[in-house]
Amino acid sequence: MGTTHPTGAGRPPTADAAGVTMPLIGFGTHPMRGEQATEAVLTAFSVGYRLVDTATRYRNEAAVGAALAATDVPRSDLFVTTKMPPDQVGRERLTLEQSLTALGCDHLDLWLIHWPPGGHPGVTSWREFVRARDEGLVKAIGVSNYPVGLIDALHRETGVYPAVNQVQWGPGDHDPRFAEAMRERGVVLSAHSPLRSTDLDHSVLLDVARRHGRSPRDVVLAWNLHHRVAITVKSAHRDRMEHNMSAAGLTLSPADVKAIDGLSTVTGGN
């Protein structure tokens, strides 16, 4: 797990998430809703995105479902992710059924626990996630915003590690020890906000971008992909969607990566 495959011509990179092929570049739908969300997802599919990321809490699953119903892209080529909010503990199966109905799907490709319920690992919920996976309603299961200790608690109680852990991740959040802990456990690290915590005007990013003839935004996205971190990017505008997707074609040098790693503000990071 966690192996990234080379990018083919016009094809974004992928990772192995517990035996399920997962695109490393996904289209995020928060905070879009209604027709705007539907049109944005359809545009993203036409640009080449194949992973669409939503959540029960986003209140746009039905809008995403409308795009899934309208697109010419086969469902088998798409990767649909949604998330259960932690206040739905005890209602896991109902929440999943409601998500499937809203999305118009008979299965999810990835289902995440959106946050640790009450700061706890959510073992009872995780058992329901495992059951849903074993029944074929979900191909892969994971978590979001989980520290290492809570991930280990899930495994200790159930014998199953999450396939994915989706967290805020960018140069400022870079923590090599956390990333290595995820790799050791076979957990794909996914960045839901790869640009949120990043100073795009930092001299290091500006210098790398200038030398490559790209934008600092491109550099940050390419840096994540270099570290085998999945990225979820969002925009309602086609030109920005295309620009974000093009980051898969930017290859950073080891010196570039080391310099960007040094922007980390995490204690114990670089």
Side-chain angles (χ1 to χ4, degrees), residues 239-261:
D239 58 346
R240 178 58 63 84
M241 293 181 193
E242 293 174 341
H243 202 79
N244 290 338
M245 181 66 79
S246 74
L250 173 57
T251 301
L252 301 177
S253 71
D256 293 334
V257 173
K258 183 176 180 180
I260 298 168
D261 287 354

Side-chain angles (χ1 to χ4, degrees), residues 177-238:
R177 293 184 299 183
F178 182 79
E180 180 59 26
M182 294 299 98
R183 282 191 291 269
E184 289 174 348
R185 291 157 176 78
V187 180
V188 174
L189 187 59
S190 175
H192 61 63
S193 303
L195 299 166
R196 179 179 296 168
S197 63
T198 302
D199 177 8
L200 295 176
D201 292 322
H202 195 285
S203 59
V204 168
L205 295 177
L206 291 173
D207 179 60
V208 174
R210 176 186 56 78
R211 286 188 282 103
H212 286 276
R214 303 292 289 262
S215 71
R217 182 186 185 97
D218 296 341
V219 168
V220 172
L221 298 180
W223 171 85
N224 275 283
L225 294 175
H226 174 90
H227 280 300
R228 309 300 189 252
V229 176
I231 53 177
T232 300
V233 290
K234 58 195 77 172
S235 174
H237 305 289
R238 184 184 186 93

Side-chain angles (χ1 to χ4, degrees), residues 12-13 44 48 78 115 125 154 161 205 252:
L78 297 174
W115 297 278
S125 291
L154 293 180
Y161 277 120
L205 295 177
L252 301 177

Side-chain angles (χ1 to χ4, degrees), residues 169 171-179 260-270:
W169 192 265
D173 309 299
H174 180 55
D175 183 345
R177 293 184 299 183
F178 182 79
I260 298 168
D261 287 354
L263 300 180
S264 174
T265 60
V266 177
T267 301
N270 289 349

Side-chain angles (χ1 to χ4, degrees), residues 103-172:
L103 291 163
C105 296
D106 61 6
H107 73 278
L108 298 175
D109 296 281
L110 178 63
W111 192 29
L112 307 177
I113 300 178
H114 210 154
W115 297 278
H120 301 291
V123 173
T124 58
S125 291
W126 190 240
R127 289 196 176 103
E128 290 300 318
F129 272 54
V130 172
R131 185 172 293 111
R133 184 202 63 183
D134 292 347
E135 292 177 8
L137 295 175
V138 183
K139 287 188 175 181
I141 52 177
V143 296
S144 183
N145 305 304
Y146 268 59
V148 177
L150 295 188
I151 285 177
D152 283 345
L154 293 180
H155 180 262
R156 186 168 57 249
E157 295 296 328
T158 67
V160 178
Y161 277 120
V164 174
N165 186 16
Q166 190 181 88
V167 300
Q168 180 169 301
W169 192 265

